[in-house]
Amino acid sequence: GISAVLINGTSGEGMLMSVEERKKVTEKWQEACNKHEILTMVQIAGCPFVDVVELAKHANDLKVDGILCLPELYFKPKTVSKLVSYIKEVSLHCPDVPLYYYHIPMFTQVDLPMAEFMELAKIEVVNFAGIKYTSGDLEKGILCLEHGQVFLGADTILVGAVALGFDSAIMTSLNIIPEYSILILQLMKAGKIEEAREH
C-alpha cells in the first residue's frame, strides 16, 4: 500500500552519511522503485551548501519524483523571506523536479510560519510543490493546506490531522508497520473515527 519512498530522510539516516554514500543509496533506491513503479523522493539538505548543490543536481539528473530540502543548517534563516531565498537558491540546481521544504523544527530550530512561507515560495520558486510538516502544532499546520501539498510527518497525531484535512503522510512508522497507518487513513475516510483512534 506504499506509493512512494523518501530516501535519505531522518529515519533513512541521510544526515549521517557522506555525499557519495547518499548518492549511492539514492541510485539503488531509484533503480528498485523504477522496477516496482514506486515514486521516489530524496532529501538533499546538509552542510556545506556545495554538498546540497551536488545532491540537488544528482537527484535532478536521476529524475526522481520529488526533492525535500531542510533549511540552511548553520546560518539558520530568521525570516520567511530568508528561508524562501535559500530554497530558491537550491531550486536553481534541480529545476526539473518538484521541490518540497522539510519542516522539522525540533531538529533544525527553524520554526517560521509555514503558511506564510508557502505563499511566498509559490511565487518565488518555480518548482516549489509543498512541504513535509513534522510538527505537533496542527493549528499552524492546517493553514498550510491551501497553499500546496502538505505531507504530515508526525505519527502520533495522524487521526487528528486527517480529521482536519491532511491526506498525505511521510512518517517513521510507515517504515515499520505501514498497514496500521494505511488502515487509520482508510477508517478516517470512511468516517469511523473511534475505530481509527483505537488502532
Side-chain angles (χ1 to χ4, degrees):
I2 299 297
S3 59
V5 174
L6 172 60
I7 305 156
N8 296 335
T10 302
S11 55
E13 300 186 343
M15 301 307 286
L16 300 180
M17 292 186 273
S18 70
V19 169
E20 284 309 310
E21 287 170 328
R22 288 169 75 178
K23 285 163 81 171
K24 286 177 185 175
V25 168
T26 302
E27 288 163 12
K28 287 298 180 185
W29 268 108
Q30 181 72 344
E31 188 180 307
C33 288
N34 283 342
K35 178 180 176 183
H36 297 287
E37 298 181 350
I38 297 172
L39 299 173
T40 53
M41 303 174 83
V42 61
Q43 194 285 114
I44 59 156
C47 285
F49 185 67
V50 291
D51 290 355
V52 180
V53 168
E54 186 173 345
L55 289 166
K57 288 178 177 176
H58 181 256
N60 192 77
D61 291 345
L62 284 177
K63 297 180 174 55
V64 298
D65 299 293
I67 291 174
L68 273 74
C69 189
L70 295 162
E72 191 166 10
L73 298 174
Y74 187 80
F75 296 106
K76 301 178 192 305
K78 302 283 192 262
T79 65
V80 164
S81 62
K82 294 248 188 221
L83 178 56
V84 170
S85 293
Y86 180 76
I87 296 301
K88 184 177 182 178
E89 187 66 33
V90 172
S91 77
L92 300 176
H93 306 284
C94 53
D96 304 322
V97 178
L99 181 61
Y100 295 83
Y101 173 64
Y102 191 166
H103 179 63
I104 185 164
M106 66 181 142
F107 287 154
T108 64
Q109 276 28 157
V110 175
D111 196 6
L112 298 166
M114 284 295 98
E116 191 181 324
F117 162 78
M118 291 180 76
E119 196 171 8
L120 185 58
K122 281 192 302 188
I123 297 165
E124 295 288 326
V125 183
V126 175
N127 58 337
F128 178 74
I131 63 172
K132 179 182 176 196
Y133 188 83
T134 307
S135 168
D137 192 336
L138 286 177
E139 187 177 356
K140 290 179 183 174
I142 58 172
L143 298 174
C144 300
L145 296 175
E146 63 188 76
H147 298 293
Q149 189 167 18
V150 181
F151 293 99
L152 179 71
D155 309 68
T156 56
I157 56 173
L158 179 60
V159 171
V162 173
L164 291 170
F166 284 79
D167 63 2
S168 303
I170 301 172
M171 306 180 307
T172 300
S173 61
L174 288 167
N175 294 306
I176 307 155
I177 45 169
E179 58 274 17
Y180 285 103
S181 295
I182 291 166
L183 179 59
I184 290 166
L185 286 166
Q186 290 169 344
L187 290 168
M188 288 300 291
K189 285 179 184 172
K192 299 178 179 178
I193 298 171
E194 289 304 319
E195 203 177 333
R197 275 191 190 143
E198 185 65 28
H199 282 286

